[in-house]
Amino acid sequence: MSRTEDEVLDVIEKRRRRPHFKVMDEHITLAHGAGGRSSHVLIETLFGRAFDNPLLAPMADAATVDVKGGRLAFSTDSFVVRPLVFPGGDIGELAVNGTVNDLAMAGARPLALSAAFVLEEGFPVKDLARIAESMAAAAAAAGVPIATGDTKVVERGNADGLYICTSGVGLVRDDANLAAERMQPGDKVLVSGTMGDHGMAIMIARGDLELEVDLRSDTAPLNELVEQLLDAGGDAIRCLRDPTRGGLATVLNELAMTAEVGVVIDEEAVPLRPETNGACEILGIDPLHVANEGKLVAVVAPEAAEELLAVLRAHPLGLESAIVGGVNAEPPGMVLLDTAFGGSRVVDMLAGDPLPRIC
Amino acid sequence: MSRTEDEVLDVIEKRRRRPHFKVMDEHITLAHGAGGRSSHVLIETLFGRAFDNPLLAPMADAATVDVKGGRLAFSTDSFVVRPLVFPGGDIGELAVNGTVNDLAMAGARPLALSAAFVLEEGFPVKDLARIAESMAAAAAAAGVPIATGDTKVVERGNADGLYICTSGVGLVRDDANLAAERMQPGDKVLVSGTMGDHGMAIMIARGDLELEVDLRSDTAPLNELVEQLLDAGGDAIRCLRDPTRGGLATVLNELAMTAEVGVVIDEEAVPLRPETNGACEILGIDPLHVANEGKLVAVVAPEAAEELLAVLRAHPLGLESAIVGGVNAEPPGMVLLDTAFGGSRVVDMLAGDPLPRIC
């Protein structure tokens, strides 16, 4: 790890002192799974305190573990998306790409994935076979084997067909030096394409919105894109995140709080598909709060920003990349949006759960 | 890995040719999650074929991945046990110990665990906190940090409170040379204590059997016991397994098939609590098919058997260890039981699912 244990403990202690991490509900709500503020309260106060240890403390997408001769990245995610198959992908592809991406955001090359299934009694075996094939294809595309697994079955009426938990291990590149704490005033914020497409595609696929919009999930493995970015940028890349649940706004808030810097976003610079933007307007949801499953956020040194933007745009998964904002010293821990109308507003983490079960 | 890729592929090919691995149901049944024959058919034919790769091929509790300077063990398990709290433990402790044990059976020292939660909307946060504390205590007892995690929430009526998926990574000891294929005629089969206590404790805790028996789950971390066993036995230890779902009978069948040897068990030598045995008799279940969560099976070279038995018995988790049988050349792939009455019968894998949702 690039930080000492003392530094990590210092970060934990600072987090604990933050008053807004002390509000806790009595019962689990869907918002606790939405990846926004409620999720953070639950994770920081309940799991963070119970499991308290230096490996967990960074609370990133993947933990980093020192092993002989290197650093190991280790990540896990459960997938409970509904419907199981949607335009642009299915739960299996999503599960593989999600874990590959969490490893990639740690600067790691994936070594192996695991897949644990909770299946509903009565689920058609041919549908399971199709999902397994889709996982296999996604794993092959990302160049990583599914090395181990587990299967449990629960009685009819549970698990909506199936849930999948994927975990992954990878080796962190020796030249990757990624940590939110490395963000500095002047740094630039890049995104690798249009925001919010996955979340909106799922909502529309469910059919209960009565919207007819042609939107596909952006689910994709980002490990190759990250390789090229790290090859070109090395130390100039401060940190990488994939803005999944809670969207770009939530990820930037997390980064701003961890690094104790301000982040400012230029609304007009954020790439949005007109279909996603339109669906969000109708639903009254901010597209910056909507999940992506094949996009990354990179905070980079200012002098490298244009070159790294070109690297992203040269990859098929980064054609619509953009520099969307920058890092300021003030106000620490906050994200501001410069609006198209010349104003400025605070962009908070996602609150509540307007988009349940999207991953 | 101790075997070459060609050898592994040869094992896969042999498995594929086995006719009884070709029967597949059209719908998922509870038996597919019971760890017995149906689970094996599903895993070998569906997942094994879709995900086909040399790391997955050994189909052991943990996969082994070569990394710079060592071998990494990697394992995953979902836990869907009902009730969530039972005599002797809870779902959280079970999840941690289960993954620690899967790593230990690969001869690995655990480096880090992950915990992914699928929570039911409405689940009491204080119950979740208790389960998290229990996981933290189990992780501390096993000496391994919970380094990363994930939280999803599903609507009321799903997930029975919560499901937990734990994964783990560990470093395989350089002196561990564990593989079912190393089993040879003459080897001895050891178990580290009484069989079937976890499964029966769960069935009785559910209350629908109307049995009043004082039975506790044996859930426990076996990594220290394995350390001592490997310290003493080294290369004389052919392979280790934890006989969880499907029990001792299923594990021995798996080993016999993989090693293409026969295994013979002496019924009178198998340690059984009278309470477990009695409950099994009433329910018509063979205790050899009932899950354990804190016991191991070791196949060892004959000359080391007595010494290794003494090592097991010297540890608090191995007090009732016993040599329960041995390995023969014939009949390959089969497990025979020498009964207390002087007869002999075939012991098969668990069929069906007499004990749903025990882990």
Side-chain angles (χ1 to χ4, degrees):
Chain A
M1 295 214 293
S2 54
R3 291 176 295 159
T4 66
E5 193 163 318
D6 277 354
E7 284 170 328
V8 169
L9 292 174
D10 188 52
V11 170
I12 300 177
E13 198 43 46
K14 276 183 187 148
R15 282 197 174 139
R16 280 196 174 145
R17 286 201 300 265
R18 265 189 213 123
H20 66 255
F21 277 141
K22 286 185 178 156
V23 185
M24 177 81 98
D25 297 309
E26 281 189 21
H27 292 90
I28 294 297
T29 66
L30 288 173
H32 286 118
R37 182 166 303 286
S38 298
S39 297
H40 280 259
V41 173
L42 182 75
I43 291 166
E44 298 267 349
T45 56
L46 196 152
F47 296 124
R49 285 184 189 178
F51 300 159
D52 191 10
N53 66 73
L55 295 183
L56 180 66
M59 293 282 183
D61 292 324
T64 311
V65 187
D66 288 323
V67 291
K68 304 186 214 176
R71 282 178 298 159
L72 203 68
F74 179 34
S75 179
T76 192
D77 261 319
S78 281
F79 292 84
V80 299
V81 65
R82 280 185 309 122
L84 297 176
V85 181
F86 44 81
D90 64 24
I91 188 172
E93 184 180 351
L94 196 66
V96 168
N97 288 340
T99 295
V100 166
N101 292 348
D102 282 344
L103 296 174
M105 296 309 124
R109 292 172 175 138
L111 284 168
L113 302 183
S114 66
F117 297 85
V118 176
L119 305 174
E120 179 182 1
E121 183 188 11
F123 190 68
V125 169
K126 69 170 177 7
D127 292 357
L128 181 62
R130 213 168 292 144
I131 288 165
E133 291 298 343
S134 162
M135 294 181 79
V144 57
I146 296 174
T148 189
D150 180 52
T151 309
K152 296 290 189 310
V153 180
V154 293
E155 298 85 349
R156 217 175 277 267
N158 286 297
D160 291 318
L162 82 164
Y163 303 146
I164 303 175
C165 180
T166 41
S167 301
V169 286
L171 264 184
V172 180
R173 285 171 57 134
D174 290 333
D175 59 356
N177 184 12
L178 302 170
E181 290 81 353
R182 291 188 59 235
M183 288 167 64
Q184 295 169 24
D187 284 351
K188 297 295 180 190
V189 178
L190 280 65
V191 300
S192 67
T194 54
M195 291 287 103
D197 300 332
H198 174 75
M200 275 302 115
I202 297 296
M203 292 310 286
I204 288 162
R206 259 178 231 166
D208 36 51
L209 298 182
E210 295 185 22
L211 285 177
E212 294 227 5
V213 185
D214 183 25
L215 252 182
R216 298 167 65 80
S217 165
D218 62 347
T219 181
L222 296 170
N223 53 328
E224 191 184 75
L225 188 63
V226 169
E227 283 284 305
Q228 295 178 2
L229 206 57
L230 286 170
D231 285 347
D235 213 52
I237 301 165
R238 314 294 195 203
C239 61
L240 297 172
R241 287 288 190 280
D242 54 341
T244 56
R245 284 180 297 170
L248 179 63
T250 300
V251 157
L252 292 179
N253 268 280
E254 290 169 3
L255 293 177
M257 285 194 286
T258 304
E260 304 191 3
V261 295
V263 171
V264 61
I265 296 300
D266 174 6
E267 185 170 31
E268 290 190 301
V270 177
L272 287 176
R273 278 194 206 303
E275 299 85 349
T276 301
N277 200 23
C280 283
E281 276 186 10
I282 290 167
L283 294 167
I285 296 173
D286 185 340
L288 300 185
H289 281 144
V290 182
N292 309 277
E293 292 287 346
K295 301 288 158 49
L296 62 79
V297 182
V299 181
V300 307
E303 63 277 10
E306 287 296 337
E307 185 202 337
L308 294 175
L309 176 65
V311 169
L312 288 175
R313 285 189 173 162
H315 191 280
L317 292 175
L319 299 176
E320 293 169 274
S321 296
I323 299 175
V324 297
V327 176
N328 294 331
E330 297 291 332
M334 287 182 76
V335 180
L336 299 176
L337 185 79
D338 287 341
T339 67
F341 306 107
S344 179
R345 67 172 172 89
V346 173
V347 177
D348 210 341
M349 285 190 175
L350 176 67
D353 188 10
L355 307 165
R357 308 279 299 273
I358 48 162
C359 62
Chain B
M1 295 213 296
S2 55
R3 291 175 296 159
T4 67
E5 193 164 317
D6 277 356
E7 285 170 329
V8 171
L9 293 174
D10 189 52
V11 170
I12 302 177
E13 198 42 47
K14 276 183 185 147
R15 281 199 176 139
R16 281 198 174 142
R17 286 201 301 264
R18 267 190 212 122
H20 66 254
F21 277 141
K22 287 185 178 156
V23 185
M24 179 79 98
D25 298 308
E26 281 188 21
H27 292 91
I28 295 297
T29 67
L30 287 173
H32 286 117
R37 183 167 302 286
S38 298
S39 298
H40 280 259
V41 172
L42 183 74
I43 291 166
E44 299 267 348
T45 56
L46 197 151
F47 296 124
R49 285 183 190 180
F51 301 158
D52 191 12
N53 66 73
L55 295 183
L56 181 67
M59 292 282 183
D61 292 324
T64 311
V65 186
D66 289 324
V67 291
K68 303 187 214 177
R71 281 178 298 159
L72 203 69
F74 179 34
S75 180
T76 193
D77 260 321
S78 281
F79 292 83
V80 298
V81 65
R82 280 185 311 123
L84 298 176
V85 181
F86 44 81
D90 65 25
I91 188 173
E93 184 180 352
L94 196 66
V96 168
N97 288 340
T99 296
V100 166
N101 292 348
D102 282 345
L103 295 174
M105 298 307 126
R109 292 175 175 138
L111 284 169
L113 301 183
S114 66
F117 297 84
V118 175
L119 305 175
E120 179 183 0
E121 182 187 11
F123 190 68
V125 168
K126 69 170 178 4
D127 293 357
L128 180 61
R130 212 168 293 142
I131 288 166
E133 289 299 342
S134 163
M135 294 180 78
V144 58
I146 297 174
T148 189
D150 180 53
T151 309
K152 295 291 190 307
V153 180
V154 293
E155 297 84 349
R156 218 174 277 268
N158 285 296
D160 291 318
L162 82 165
Y163 303 146
I164 303 176
C165 180
T166 41
S167 301
V169 287
L171 263 185
V172 180
R173 285 172 57 133
D174 289 334
D175 58 355
N177 184 11
L178 302 169
E181 291 80 353
R182 291 187 59 233
M183 289 167 63
Q184 295 169 26
D187 285 350
K188 297 295 180 190
V189 177
L190 280 64
V191 300
S192 66
T194 55
M195 292 286 104
D197 299 331
H198 173 75
M200 275 302 115
I202 297 295
M203 292 310 286
I204 288 161
R206 257 178 232 164
D208 36 51
L209 298 181
E210 294 184 23
L211 285 177
E212 293 226 7
V213 184
D214 183 25
L215 252 181
R216 297 168 66 81
S217 165
D218 62 347
T219 181
L222 296 170
N223 53 327
E224 191 184 75
L225 187 63
V226 169
E227 283 284 306
Q228 295 179 2
L229 205 57
L230 286 170
D231 284 347
D235 213 53
I237 301 165
R238 313 295 196 202
C239 61
L240 298 172
R241 287 288 190 280
D242 55 339
T244 55
R245 283 180 297 171
L248 180 64
T250 300
V251 157
L252 292 178
N253 268 281
E254 289 169 3
L255 293 177
M257 285 194 285
T258 305
E260 304 191 4
V261 295
V263 172
V264 62
I265 297 299
D266 174 5
E267 184 170 32
E268 290 190 301
V270 177
L272 287 176
R273 280 196 204 301
E275 298 85 350
T276 301
N277 201 22
C280 283
E281 276 185 9
I282 290 168
L283 294 169
I285 296 173
D286 185 340
L288 299 185
H289 282 144
V290 181
N292 309 276
E293 292 288 346
K295 301 287 158 52
L296 62 79
V297 182
V299 182
V300 307
E303 63 278 10
E306 287 295 340
E307 185 202 337
L308 293 175
L309 177 65
V311 170
L312 288 175
R313 284 188 173 164
H315 191 280
L317 292 175
L319 299 175
E320 294 169 274
S321 295
I323 298 174
V324 297
V327 176
N328 294 331
E330 298 290 333
M334 287 182 76
V335 180
L336 299 176
L337 185 80
D338 287 342
T339 68
F341 306 107
S344 179
R345 67 173 172 90
V346 173
V347 176
D348 211 340
M349 284 189 177
L350 176 68
D353 188 10
L355 307 166
R357 308 278 299 271
I358 47 161
C359 63

